[in-house]
Amino acid sequence: MVIKSNLKEYEVFIEQNMEFITLLKNVENAEYVIDKNVYELYKKYFNDISRERLIIIEAIEQNKIIDTALEICEKITEIPAKRNATLISIGGGIIQDITGFVANIMYRGIQWIFVPTTLLAACDSCIGGKTSLNYKKYKNLLGTFYPPDKIYICSQLFYSLSERDFMSGLGEVIKFNIMAGENGLSKIENSIDRLLRRDIGTIDYFINSSLEFKKRYIEIDEFDKGERIKLNFAHTFGHAIEVVTEYNIPHGTAVAIGMIMANHISYNRGYLKDEIVSRSENMLLRVIDIDWELLEKPYEYYINAIKKDKKQIDSSLTAVLITEYGTNSYLNVVHDLKQKEIVNSIEYFKRLYKIWN
């Protein structure tokens, strides 16, 4: 799959085995940044990379900050090559965010290759070029647009994901299929059992279809000025949940909860029929496994987190909602979200989740 960017064209390769790692180890003037857990699980593939060229990072939100990025910059200055240097990053979305940011600011842009090792990164964030760092208590406040030169996806890596992380990735997969309209929702309903079993063929199919869906938006509106903002469906609520729970709920799971909240608001506004809401919830609840007490925080915490969301343009509250559903779905950015609607949607999810469990 080739993605056309205003900055450069880049390609996604779907690999059937781990042999491609050998090719990456032969790249000249390369610095490797690898998720600590991935390194420990697949150490045999990386043992012959010299320690001078290897940076191991614990992929936690607390490390997705400018200090970590600058430490990598410092290591890259040790490579004799400057703009001919290549940064190769292997990990999930946190590693992607940190290294993409570094690749962009280092020498005004160096080559960058990304290997997503989580379903979440493979089905969504690996394309589109967004890089984001957290600042103080606020998520993704600093960022750039800088896509990799190449992306290698190998679903074999997803066998070693924890259930928590795999379910988080499925949250984003379901999101794209709900956004795709009736056909997408039907496909995920018919395939959810195979996805939960981690069937490689089914996973590869939905990774490809998710990226194809996202590709249409990012090629129209690469820099998030209009149409691409619709891909943030449910993220206003999802990001708030992450912040309020101090990231104890992973991103894709938070987005899955955010979809239930967003669709509840759409239903109450008369945008969505009960049947679509119920079918969506049946899929989403299958990939949500949380301690619901994590959500037991004052509602002001949620409101304040939403006010800090990047999509806010003034003092009004903004979110992306489905406003019509059929063969295709129609999403719109609404700027008249009421605090009462947010509180009601949180309460609704908590009641629903208790009943489900």
Side-chain angles (χ1 to χ4, degrees):
M1 181 188 305
V2 176
I3 313 296
K4 295 180 180 178
S5 162
N6 289 288
L7 302 171
K8 56 189 171 185
E9 286 192 2
Y10 56 104
E11 193 165 0
V12 179
F13 301 91
I14 306 292
E15 301 290 339
Q16 300 304 310
N17 54 58
M18 301 283 283
E19 291 179 4
F20 73 97
I21 295 290
T22 302
L23 296 175
L24 297 183
K25 289 189 294 188
N26 293 327
V27 175
E28 294 184 357
N29 301 313
E31 188 79 28
Y32 300 83
V33 178
I34 304 177
D35 178 312
K36 181 180 178 182
N37 288 335
V38 174
Y39 181 77
E40 293 298 330
L41 285 167
Y42 300 98
K43 190 177 291 186
K44 66 179 182 180
Y45 293 101
F46 310 124
N47 275 339
D48 50 350
I49 299 175
S50 68
R51 290 299 303 181
E52 293 76 20
R53 297 292 174 84
L54 188 61
I55 304 170
I56 309 299
I57 295 178
E58 186 177 4
I60 56 177
E61 286 284 343
Q62 290 81 353
N63 284 340
K64 204 177 82 168
I65 57 176
I66 191 69
D67 293 350
T68 308
L70 293 177
E71 288 171 10
I72 298 171
C73 289
E74 181 68 24
K75 288 286 291 184
I76 294 175
T77 62
E78 298 171 7
I79 300 175
K82 300 305 177 188
R83 295 198 69 179
N84 289 331
T86 298
L87 183 58
I88 298 175
S89 56
I90 302 173
I94 290 175
I95 298 297
Q96 176 191 343
D97 273 322
I98 297 168
T99 53
F101 189 89
V102 168
N104 189 187
I105 66 173
M106 197 72 199
Y107 307 126
R108 299 191 183 93
I110 61 173
Q111 295 181 83
W112 173 39
I113 297 171
F114 179 50
V115 180
T117 60
T118 65
L119 177 58
L120 183 69
C123 75
D124 181 17
S125 67
C126 68
I127 66 170
K130 283 186 180 180
T131 77
S132 302
L133 299 181
N134 299 332
Y135 180 70
K136 294 185 177 180
K137 293 184 178 181
Y138 305 116
K139 184 178 174 67
N140 296 343
L141 216 59
L142 308 177
T144 66
F145 287 90
Y146 194 71
D149 294 86
K150 294 178 182 178
I151 300 163
Y152 293 90
I153 297 173
C154 181
S155 292
Q156 285 188 8
L157 291 163
F158 307 147
Y159 279 131
S160 59
L161 289 175
S162 67
E163 192 71 2
R164 177 180 186 269
D165 288 336
F166 187 73
M167 291 294 196
S168 177
L170 285 183
E172 286 283 3
V173 170
I174 294 172
K175 182 199 79 173
F176 284 121
N177 281 271
I178 290 174
M179 289 177 67
E182 175 61 41
N183 289 339
L185 181 55
S186 295
K187 283 180 181 178
I188 203 71
E189 287 174 324
N190 293 330
S191 305
I192 188 65
D193 289 329
R194 293 193 299 277
L195 285 169
L196 290 169
R197 292 196 302 268
R198 307 196 193 196
D199 176 76
I200 289 293
T202 307
I203 291 172
D204 283 347
Y205 172 83
F206 278 96
I207 287 173
N208 187 73
S209 65
S210 297
L211 294 180
E212 288 285 0
F213 183 87
K214 182 174 180 178
K215 169 181 156 78
R216 298 196 295 270
Y217 283 84
I218 62 179
E219 289 187 341
I220 292 171
D221 176 29
E222 182 174 7
F223 300 117
D224 224 359
K225 299 299 183 183
E227 192 69 9
R228 183 174 177 173
I229 294 174
K230 295 176 182 177
L231 290 175
N232 284 307
F233 168 54
H235 281 62
T236 293
F237 310 109
H239 286 165
I241 289 166
E242 288 180 274
V243 170
V244 169
T245 63
E246 298 178 341
Y247 305 104
N248 284 305
I249 294 179
H251 177 73
T253 304
V255 169
I257 297 169
M259 277 186 274
I260 291 175
M261 293 171 59
N263 284 350
H264 181 65
I265 293 172
S266 290
Y267 171 75
N268 284 336
R269 289 188 172 200
Y271 301 152
L272 276 180
K273 294 180 180 178
D274 180 64
E275 179 215 355
I276 299 300
V277 172
S278 297
R279 289 169 63 195
S280 299
E281 289 173 351
N282 287 338
M283 294 298 98
L284 293 164
L285 288 167
R286 294 191 68 177
V287 301
I288 298 172
D289 184 11
I290 62 166
D291 177 359
W292 65 268
E293 291 183 352
L294 287 170
L295 301 175
E296 293 292 303
K297 299 288 179 67
Y299 294 119
E300 292 80 8
Y301 286 29
Y302 292 92
I303 303 301
N304 289 336
I306 288 172
K307 286 179 178 178
K308 296 295 183 181
D309 192 89
K310 299 186 300 298
K311 292 176 289 301
Q312 307 306 317
I313 58 174
D314 52 35
S315 59
S316 62
L317 295 174
T318 296
V320 179
L321 299 178
I322 296 175
T323 55
E324 188 178 341
Y325 208 83
T327 305
N328 298 304
S329 68
Y330 295 88
L331 295 104
N332 283 294
V333 183
V334 301
H335 300 289
D336 61 346
L337 203 62
K338 303 295 189 294
Q339 292 190 19
K340 183 177 180 181
E341 289 180 299
I342 297 169
V343 172
N344 287 343
S345 68
I346 296 169
E347 284 295 324
Y348 173 76
F349 171 75
K350 289 193 289 188
R351 290 196 305 271
L352 183 70
Y353 190 66
K354 289 177 184 178
I355 293 169
W356 177 265
N357 284 275

